[in-house]
Amino acid sequence: MCFIQAQEPISIHITEKDGLPDIEFYSILEDSKGFIWLASESGLYRYDGKSYIQYSNDEKRGLSVFDLSEDEQGRVWCTNISGQFFYIENNKLITFIDLKDELKGQLGKFQVQGKDLIITTIGASYFIDLATKKIRKKKLSYKHGLHLIRDNDIYVSIDFDSIKVLSNDYKVINHFPLDSNYYSDNLKIRGKTHFFKLNEIFFFSQQLDYKNRFTSVNISTGEIRLSKGLEAIEATRIISIKIIGSQLWVLTYKGAYIYEYVNSEFILKNKILKTEKITDVIIDKDQNYWVSTLANGIYLIPNIEVLKHHLPESSNDVMAINKVNDSTVFFGSKKGEVGLLNINTSAYKLSTDLRSKVSAIQYNHDKKSSYVSTDISSYIVDNATLKATKTKGFQGIKSYSRLNNNEILFGTYINLMLLDEKTGLLKKYSNTKRVYTTYFNAKEDMIYVGYVDNLIALDHNLKSTIIKYNNKEIFARSITQTKDGRVWIGTFKNGIFVLKNNKIIQRYLKEDGLLSNQIKYIKADGNNIWIATPKGLQELNSKTKTFKNLTKTEGILSYKISGIEILNNRVVVASNKGVFSFEKDKVFKERSCPEIYFSEIKINEKSVALDTSYHLDYNQNSIQFSFNVNGILYNKNRTYQYRLLGYNEDWITTDLDINTIKYSSLPAGQYTFQVRPTTINETSLNEVKSVSLIIKLPFWKKWWFILGYSLTFIGLIIFYYKRKLKNKEKAREIEIKQLSLDKQLIALKLENLRSQMNPHFIFNALNSIQEYIILNQRKLASEYLGKFADLIRTYLNHSTKGKITLQEEIDCLEMYLELEKLRFEDKLDYKIITSGNLYPKEINIPTMLVQPYVENALKHGLLHRKTDRILSINFFIDEISNVVKCTIVDNGVGRVKAEEFKARSRKTYQSFATKATSDRLTLLNYGKQKQIGVTITDLMDGENAAGTQVEIIIPYTTH
């Protein structure tokens, strides 16, 4: 089956899904700064490549705006159907004039020329002074249909009965009537009149009885003639007419018709977007075409020269192509379809489904048949009928190479084979080894084979040579040969190698200009090379070693390219999204230098007026820079580089679609933020934009504060050390006093020891020992002498300690009372009791504290009693107040009787032991919160003394 399908440029459809604020657009404009302006049903919008900003004001009636234009001052103008005219100034929509009473609902065409705003309607034209807003001239057309064109220093106008040439001050200097011959057969004029100039010739179109008629006008001679070649749009409703370069774009309800005017005749070059109602078209600074529609958003054509050839949806994933002639290619799809495609007309012819993905094609014009390989089988396809005949013996072919009219070499996923078409014999060169690509160098009669593990060259004797680079294997993916005889090898990930006489003479990598070291396909074109990579399509001039790049920004349909063929001046590319082609001499666009600007600066999260420098306080140190390059494709395909001098010197590259940089907490200092646009794959750098920052020091870092602070700090240090010296002096005085007290305490201990070791006690002890010896009671004498020695030794040991355990105090009392019991001739009964949760071995008390009171009980209370002497000593603990209570009870004569006995013996001096104990208690309690307390109570039996009780409160410590 043969089909004819129109070819048209590859376009990007922009809709509300992409953030477009509307779908109904009437006009589109790129201003001198690169902003895109859109006049839509919902209002006026500006697009910077990333976001849309709407402009309106309180005076504006309705939403819709029309007819965008820019004046010499860079102001963007628009109008609405209510007769209001606006312009943008200082980023605000300003109402210039309201002509609702004059226009009465007509949508006037306008242009800003010199000092005037010129408005034309069906019935009149208005010349409004820009400074005074006064209507200086009003020209009426009684026949209606007025249009006005500015042409250098004159104006050319047309209405339904004449064409006039006006001077710069709007005076008629020439007049050409449209005579009755022009309106023959009583044709009725309908619809709008379109007036335009192309190739220095004026044209106008009118609809006569529903048929469009185009007429040329020679304003020098007045000659008027009908134009030829526009028959295709004769019955099509025209929305607008645009002149782009040397082409006429007729925008209709059924797409855009593109014509060239050659030899007084219009030639249809293309028709695009044939299902859309197209209202306007412009070319931006990057040669992108913007097409606005009445009901379906915006179309962006990145490259008008790149044409897609429409195939059925099932055939769009093209896996292989092969050149048939200078206008046709043979192709095979992933779905298993093969066919012929005419590049000039986009006519195609398809075969039946081969039921599997096509992997390779070899077209043979002489044999009137072609080899087609799929993953599971191979076929011979008739070139005329495309009828496929299944063959046996080989399948899964990855590459064909024709050696001559009768022999064809092909590599499969398991072997390399040669087919003699004349005899039908197959010859295998290798087995169990995958082949990726093959190429026959007819000039040197050499076959190159890219295996899975190496690259080999086979000469005419089938002698193989492994080709390596720096002793490393080469993994070839695609091979081609330029006109100068050099063989070019594209690899999987190691760039391109250039081969001559089986020697690598050159290598190309990414640093040499390749978009990627991964090569998908290469094709020679004379001495140039077309290179397909995962990042774009390139043309390499092998003489100058320079690259030209085609990416999606330049209109490339897909980077997944499966084949390239050269048809005269046209390059045909097969991809997973269909077949596209372009004229190689026209496809490369002239890029404008990207102009970067700051769109917003925020300080501490607040937007500030844009400036080139800022002086900030120390706490204004959170800075955000937003920048942009106008253009819809820039931010999607390119990056930026930035640095903050004074903070870092190296350039940092942003990620794609990132144009905001933030510094959260900058220290005080001087900085310069610099940003520049760049591209993903190019190293060329463009204009740098800068903003200077000075962040002031905080007051506490300024010299006067530091000086004051230093002086204050020094003063505080002096005060501190003076105070410290004073405190040390006090501590030393206390220490001296404490040493004095300790000295007194030691003296009192010695005195206490002396009191304990009083001569009377020692004398009695020695007498007892002597008596035992005289009575020949040596055992008792030895035992008594041992106890006496132990007691003396214990007292001497305790005299060197500040504290002893309660158990040591009890043991000492036991030894003392045993000796005293001998002194009292065994007429003394005593007991020492501990009670409560008391653990004597874990409690520390001051040394020689209890014994003096026990001695007093014996010496003054029990000594004067002859019989039944009883002494009780009881220790128990008070856990609430952390003290040990010691109670000493005797049944002696009491303190009153003791004083009487003392008086009789004429001993009026105070007991030395009693005074020493009292002074020692004073010293021990000095400066303590918990103090040692002693309470002495006289025990009475009626009116008679029954003994004495001493209660000692002793604060304790534990181990």
Side-chain angles (χ1 to χ4, degrees), residues 461-480:
N461 294 320
L462 302 181
K463 181 182 178 182
S464 66
T465 302
I466 298 177
I467 300 173
K468 295 185 177 183
Y469 180 74
N470 292 338
N471 289 324
K472 292 184 178 179
E473 286 76 13
I474 295 174
F475 304 105
R477 189 173 192 175
S478 180
I479 305 174
T480 191

Side-chain angles (χ1 to χ4, degrees), residues 24-28 39-42 64-67 279-280 292-294:
E24 185 174 339
F25 294 93
Y26 311 123
S27 183
I28 189 166
S40 75
E41 191 271 339
S42 62
S64 303
V65 295
F66 304 85
D67 293 341
T279 56
D280 201 0
S292 61
T293 71
L294 199 57

Side-chain angles (χ1 to χ4, degrees), residues 255-456:
Y257 293 78
I258 305 170
Y259 291 91
E260 288 186 354
Y261 191 63
V262 181
N263 298 325
S264 301
E265 186 174 345
F266 286 97
I267 299 174
L268 181 63
K269 301 298 292 184
N270 206 351
K271 180 185 177 183
I272 65 171
L273 304 173
K274 59 182 180 296
T275 62
E276 299 293 345
K277 300 178 179 68
I278 297 176
T279 56
D280 201 0
V281 60
I282 64 166
I283 305 177
D284 68 15
K285 58 183 175 60
D286 294 319
Q287 304 301 305
N288 301 306
Y289 285 70
W290 296 73
V291 182
S292 61
T293 71
L294 199 57
N296 202 14
I298 303 289
Y299 285 87
L300 180 71
I301 303 174
N303 196 326
I304 198 73
E305 298 297 334
V306 181
L307 301 178
K308 180 179 180 181
H309 302 276
H310 289 283
L311 297 171
E313 189 66 30
S314 60
S315 303
N316 259 339
D317 196 346
V318 179
M319 302 303 297
I321 60 171
N322 201 218
K323 180 178 177 179
V324 175
N325 53 46
D326 288 340
S327 62
T328 308
V329 292
F330 195 100
F331 67 90
S333 74
K334 190 174 184 178
K335 291 286 187 178
E337 294 175 323
V338 294
L340 294 167
L341 173 66
N342 187 300
I343 299 303
N344 296 330
T345 65
S346 282
Y348 63 87
K349 186 164 61 172
L350 283 178
S351 74
T352 56
D353 185 4
L354 301 183
R355 298 186 299 281
S356 182
K357 179 178 73 176
V358 174
S359 58
I361 291 174
Q362 178 63 45
Y363 184 84
N364 189 337
H365 184 273
D366 296 332
K367 299 291 183 181
K368 297 182 180 181
S369 62
S370 300
Y371 288 101
V372 178
S373 174
T374 69
D375 283 350
I376 59 175
S377 187
S378 291
Y379 302 85
I380 297 176
V381 178
D382 185 274
N383 293 348
T385 64
L386 294 183
K387 182 180 179 180
T389 303
K390 194 172 184 180
T391 63
K392 295 182 179 180
F394 52 91
Q395 64 270 343
I397 296 172
K398 301 299 179 182
S399 176
Y400 287 102
S401 289
R402 180 162 291 281
L403 307 186
N404 50 53
N405 288 336
N406 295 322
E407 291 182 314
I408 184 169
L409 181 78
F410 52 87
T412 75
Y413 65 96
I414 56 172
N415 52 37
L416 177 68
M417 294 185 289
L418 179 67
L419 172 65
D420 189 325
E421 294 176 298
K422 193 173 183 179
T423 63
L425 295 176
L426 279 173
K427 183 178 181 180
K428 291 184 179 180
Y429 283 108
S430 63
N431 239 344
T432 66
K433 200 171 184 181
R434 178 184 288 269
V435 176
Y436 282 113
T437 184
T438 62
Y439 185 80
F440 176 61
N441 181 355
K443 290 184 178 181
E444 298 179 3
D445 195 20
M446 187 75 65
I447 298 171
Y448 297 96
V449 183
Y451 284 108
V452 68
D453 56 355
N454 57 24
L455 172 68
I456 69 165

Side-chain angles (χ1 to χ4, degrees), residues 13-30:
H13 190 195
I14 306 170
T15 66
E16 291 174 300
K17 294 179 180 179
D18 307 298
L20 197 66
D22 203 341
I23 61 171
E24 185 174 339
F25 294 93
Y26 311 123
S27 183
I28 189 166
L29 168 76
E30 183 188 42

Side-chain angles (χ1 to χ4, degrees), residues 490-593:
T491 66
F492 280 89
K493 61 179 181 178
N494 295 313
I496 295 174
F497 293 96
V498 185
L499 195 65
K500 192 169 185 179
N501 298 324
N502 290 348
K503 301 290 184 182
I504 302 296
I505 62 171
Q506 197 165 2
R507 186 184 187 188
Y508 289 90
L509 294 169
K510 191 174 180 180
E511 49 265 34
D512 302 309
L514 282 176
L515 291 176
S516 171
N517 288 333
Q518 299 178 38
I519 308 301
K520 302 181 76 67
Y521 198 87
I522 56 174
K523 183 70 174 182
D525 179 15
N527 284 324
N528 291 350
I529 301 291
W530 288 93
I531 306 163
T533 77
K535 291 188 176 181
L537 186 64
Q538 296 181 278
E539 183 189 34
L540 168 61
N541 186 314
S542 65
K543 291 184 178 180
T544 62
K545 300 179 182 179
T546 57
F547 291 85
K548 291 181 181 179
N549 302 335
L550 292 173
T551 64
K552 291 181 180 179
T553 304
E554 287 77 33
I556 294 302
L557 183 65
S558 172
Y559 294 154
K560 195 172 181 181
I561 293 171
S562 55
I564 302 172
E565 291 293 343
I566 313 299
L567 278 61
N568 288 332
N569 197 43
R570 199 156 194 88
V571 178
V572 183
V573 182
S575 75
N576 65 320
K577 293 186 178 181
V579 176
F580 60 93
S581 68
F582 49 83
E583 289 190 35
K584 55 188 176 183
D585 296 333
K586 295 181 179 180
V587 71
F588 295 103
K589 300 191 299 182
E590 290 186 9
R591 285 187 178 181
S592 63
C593 180

Side-chain angles (χ1 to χ4, degrees), residues 112-177:
V112 179
Q113 293 289 345
K115 298 180 180 180
D116 293 336
L117 169 66
I118 305 172
I119 304 168
T120 61
T121 68
I122 292 177
S125 61
Y126 302 86
F127 301 84
I128 303 171
D129 189 282
L130 292 176
T132 64
K133 298 185 181 182
K134 291 182 179 180
I135 301 175
R136 295 171 46 227
K137 184 86 173 177
K138 180 178 180 182
K139 173 70 176 176
L140 294 177
S141 172
Y142 299 101
K143 294 282 185 159
H144 305 296
L146 185 67
H147 283 263
L148 189 70
I149 293 178
R150 171 84 174 188
D151 184 38
N152 297 322
D153 294 331
I154 63 171
Y155 295 92
V156 180
S157 70
I158 184 172
D159 57 26
F160 283 170
D161 64 357
S162 66
I163 295 173
K164 298 181 179 68
V165 180
L166 310 176
S167 65
N168 199 34
D169 57 356
Y170 315 119
K171 293 180 180 179
V172 177
I173 58 177
N174 213 341
H175 177 261
F176 309 108

